Structures are given as structure tokens and as C-alpha cells.
Amino acid sequence: MKIIIYCLPGLGDTIMFTPCLRLLRQKFSEAEIVALTMFSASYEVLKDNSYLNDVILWEFLIKPKLQSLKFLCHLRKQKFDLSIMPFPAYRRTYNIVSFLVGAKKRIAHCFSKGYLTQFTFLNTKAIPINEELHNAKNNLNLLTLLGINLSHDEPKLDLNPSEDDKRFAHTFLSSLQLSGKDPIIGVHPGSIHYRRARHKRWPKEKFASLCDRLITQYKAKILIFEGPSERGLAKEIADLMRNKPIIIANLRLGQVMAIIKKCHLFIANNSGLMHIAAAMGTPVVVIAGPTNPKWDGPWGVKHRIVRKTLSCSPCYTYTLPYFSCQRKDFACLYEVTVEEVLEKVKELYNRKYYDRQISEEVNYG
């Protein structure tokens, strides 16, 4: 049996499908299971997954259309028996890709609208989404179409840095000359930067103030993470600070994962790195803004959500083409104060926990 999984949305969506991979392999132990990605970050987090036989990266957004069509024809010749479209794939282009590859059985979700306009009808079987559930749970429900019984225990995000990446993180953190008692707090002020997703980003001035307060109040070592679509953002924040943080940039994603695993707390917008932190078991404070944390908040990890409770928020749904705000000011995000974030940090902060973790994991003498 040959199975192809279309991990076409961004990094966070790909990570939220990983609990399904183990269940798929258990059900189809002898199958050839392939994942198709179109973002390099999604490829990086899946390429070493033991439940997959192969991971393919094809950057549809930058490849010429004719070249992409030839590529899909090549995949069609592989004669897949089953294709799986992870949640949330409310895009006609995704359904067209699945149809052109031509697996005999094509499963996906169906939404409250878009059956015709988004070509959902091209799938051979679809299950309605449940808007009360987390994205990871909606993905798990998709597996019931394959006769996979779900247990009451919720599978964890399945993401692990390699041994080489763990050694890199060990060497890198040992070079910071930590005192042995100071917590390491990771901060990710960015997010993916397309379809107006910059409106998921809390203002850099507030991040700078927050980092200074964390250093003053908790004697924290601040690591500011910067991705490829966020060039210069970490430096801009560092330039606004009284105290200087450590900027984490220009590293492979596996190395970033291993460093985040060593952090004792992670503060971020709703981003792919936020989901990596959750997968690494690192407690997370999320500044949510217009997104709905019930759907795509941290899965399976201790966390807190910071957002302004407005009558119009959360406003972003998967059937919208991009982020927009009826108030025109994105107050749900931009009016979140530094004090409100600090309060959530305080709720997660446990001195005994940090002391134990630091002595066990970060004091490399």
C-alpha cells in the first residue's frame, strides 16, 4: 500500500498533524508512507520522522506552474492508494493537487462552506470539522475514516531533535556561562509573513520592554529566536533593550528545536516555533491576538494564553483568505500590555522547577 500525506500549510499545521503519524504506521505497518511539503521548515521537522518512508519538498509558491504540473504528473505515476489532507486545508489548490496526484482514496475535512468553490468535492471521502476541537484533534478524527480507533489518551506532538542537534545545543548553551540558577527564557517575536500574517506579531517595542523586565525580575537569560522571514527583527528588539539578549538566528531548524528544548519557558506569538516549544515539552506563554487558541494553541504542554477579550475576537477563521480586522486596529493583539504577559509568566514560573531543570540540564561544568 502506498500513502501520501499533503503537509502543505505552514510549520505549525504540519506539527499539529504529527500525533497521527504513529497511529498511521501502527495501522499500515507495511505501507510506504510519503509526506509532501511545500515549505522548507515543514520538510525539516518531518525528514527524520521514523514513521515516514520519505519526505518530499516541492515549493509550489516559487516554482513555475508548468514545472509543478510536471512534478504532479510524476507523483501520479507512483499510483498511490491513499492520500490524506491534514487540517486545516481550506484551499482549492490543495484539493486540486490531491486530485491531480490521483490516489484511489482521497480523504480530507469538509468545512461549513466551500464544498464547490474550494473543490472539496474532489475528495472521495470527507469528515466535517468540529469547531470546538483543537486542530490536532480534528486531524486525529480524520483517521477514523480509515478505521483507526482513537483512545481516550491524546497522543503528543511527535517531534525530536537529532543527537547531533542535541550535542550542538549542549555546546552552545555551555558557552553562555550560566550561573546555574538563572532561567533560560526563549522569546519568538515573529511569525510567518504572508497573507498579512504579520498581524499575529505583538509590537517589537513591547517585546523589548518585556525582555528587560524578565531580566530584572527573574535574572533570566533571554534567547530571542529569529526565522528566515524575520531578518533583522531580533536585532531591532535588542537595540531597544537596556540589557542585551542572545540572538538565535541562521541555525538549522533541528538546532533551534534542541535549544528550545533546553529553555525553561518560551514566550511567543502564535507561530511555528510556539508549536515546536510545545512539542519539546517547554512551558509556553502565547500572545494570541486574532487567532483562536482553542484551535491552534499549544498542544499537550503547560501553557498560558494572553489576549484581549473583545466581542469581535477571535475573528480569524480558516475560511478567510487572510487576516483582517473589522475595527481596523487589531486591538486584540496590539493592546495586550507587558504587565498582562508578565502575569502569565508568573503563573507558570516555579522557582523549584527551574532550579531542578537548570542543575540537571544546563549546568555543564
Side-chain angles (χ1 to χ4, degrees):
M1 186 176 191
K2 300 181 71 173
I3 302 171
I4 186 167
I5 304 167
Y6 300 111
C7 295
L8 300 178
L11 174 60
D13 293 324
T14 297
I15 293 172
M16 286 185 282
F17 186 75
T18 59
C20 298
L21 296 177
R22 178 177 58 84
L23 298 177
L24 279 169
R25 177 54 70 192
Q26 288 176 346
K27 176 71 174 180
F28 304 104
S29 59
E30 301 300 320
E32 178 184 348
I33 305 178
V34 176
L36 174 62
T37 66
M38 70 174 185
F39 294 108
S40 59
S42 297
Y43 171 82
E44 288 296 321
V45 299
L46 292 179
K47 65 183 178 66
D48 295 320
N49 191 290
S50 61
Y51 302 123
L52 297 171
N53 296 94
D54 193 17
V55 182
I56 302 168
L57 172 63
W58 186 264
E59 297 173 298
F60 286 98
L61 296 181
I62 62 177
K63 295 283 189 181
K65 288 183 173 58
L66 181 57
Q67 193 173 347
S68 291
L69 183 59
K70 290 180 179 178
F71 167 73
L72 293 175
C73 290
H74 168 74
L75 287 181
R76 189 178 183 90
K77 292 177 182 178
Q78 306 302 308
K79 298 187 181 300
F80 288 98
D81 300 288
L82 169 67
S83 69
I84 301 172
M85 187 71 71
F87 186 84
Y90 185 80
R91 296 286 183 273
R92 67 169 63 91
T93 49
Y94 298 162
N95 290 319
I96 290 172
V97 164
S98 176
F99 178 75
L100 290 176
V101 173
K104 297 175 185 176
K105 186 175 183 179
R106 302 181 295 278
I107 67 170
H109 292 90
C110 56
F111 295 77
S112 58
K113 60 181 180 179
Y115 182 77
L116 295 177
T117 60
Q118 301 304 317
F119 295 5
T120 305
F121 63 87
L122 292 178
N123 298 294
T124 60
K125 189 173 289 189
I127 187 171
I129 68 166
N130 185 335
E131 294 189 357
E132 297 302 313
L133 298 180
H134 192 277
N135 290 8
K137 188 66 175 176
N138 268 302
N139 277 322
L140 290 165
N141 285 347
L142 185 62
L143 302 186
T144 62
L145 295 177
L146 303 175
I148 296 177
N149 296 319
L150 304 178
S151 67
H152 294 295
D153 297 330
E154 295 178 340
K156 294 182 179 180
L157 301 174
D158 198 320
L159 212 59
N160 293 291
S162 68
E163 292 304 315
D164 285 344
D165 292 331
K166 291 177 183 177
R167 282 190 290 269
F168 171 85
H170 178 101
T171 302
F172 177 83
L173 291 177
S174 65
S175 70
L176 300 180
Q177 300 178 342
L178 301 178
S179 71
K181 291 186 177 180
D182 300 335
I184 304 173
I185 298 181
V187 175
H188 183 222
S191 67
I192 197 167
H193 206 283
Y194 76 100
R195 293 185 182 273
R196 301 186 189 176
R198 65 183 181 278
H199 293 303
K200 294 166 68 174
R201 298 184 180 186
W202 198 44
K204 58 187 178 184
E205 295 82 6
K206 293 187 177 183
F207 266 114
S209 177
L210 173 67
C211 291
D212 272 329
R213 296 276 294 275
L214 291 169
I215 292 171
T216 300
Q217 292 181 217
Y218 297 110
K219 293 182 169 55
K221 299 290 186 180
I222 301 296
L223 309 184
I224 300 183
F225 291 79
E226 178 181 273
S229 65
E230 303 151 2
R231 298 296 187 200
L233 179 58
K235 184 179 184 302
E236 290 175 13
I237 292 172
D239 289 344
L240 293 170
M241 292 175 59
R242 298 187 305 275
N243 307 283
K244 293 309 170 190
I246 298 158
I247 295 176
I248 309 296
N250 302 315
L251 298 180
R252 291 187 296 101
L253 192 58
Q255 295 171 333
V256 170
M257 288 165 50
I259 293 173
I260 290 176
K261 189 176 180 66
K262 294 291 189 181
C263 291
H264 304 100
L265 183 69
F266 200 76
I267 303 171
N269 303 310
N270 187 329
S271 68
L273 290 195
M274 177 270 286
H275 291 289
I276 284 179
M280 295 298 102
T282 302
V284 185
V285 173
V286 185
I287 306 166
T291 59
N292 190 340
K294 181 171 64 176
W295 296 344
D296 58 3
W299 172 265
V301 72
K302 190 176 181 181
H303 67 275
R304 294 292 186 274
I305 305 295
V306 193
R307 56 190 299 271
K308 285 291 184 184
T309 305
L310 305 176
S311 60
C312 56
S313 179
C315 61
Y316 180 71
T317 68
Y318 298 118
T319 57
L320 290 175
Y322 50 76
F323 287 88
S324 62
C325 176
Q326 64 185 20
R327 291 169 50 116
K328 310 301 182 185
D329 60 1
F330 286 93
C332 60
L333 176 67
Y334 298 140
E335 290 187 7
V336 170
T337 67
V338 172
E339 286 71 23
E340 287 170 326
V341 179
L342 283 169
E343 184 60 32
K344 297 300 182 182
V345 170
K346 183 179 179 181
E347 291 178 14
L348 282 182
Y349 187 89
N350 182 305
R351 184 76 251 178
K352 184 177 180 180
Y353 167 80
Y354 284 125
D355 283 346
R356 183 181 73 250
Q357 291 295 97
I358 290 167
S359 64
E360 291 177 355
E361 299 184 11
V362 196
N363 190 2
Y364 302 110

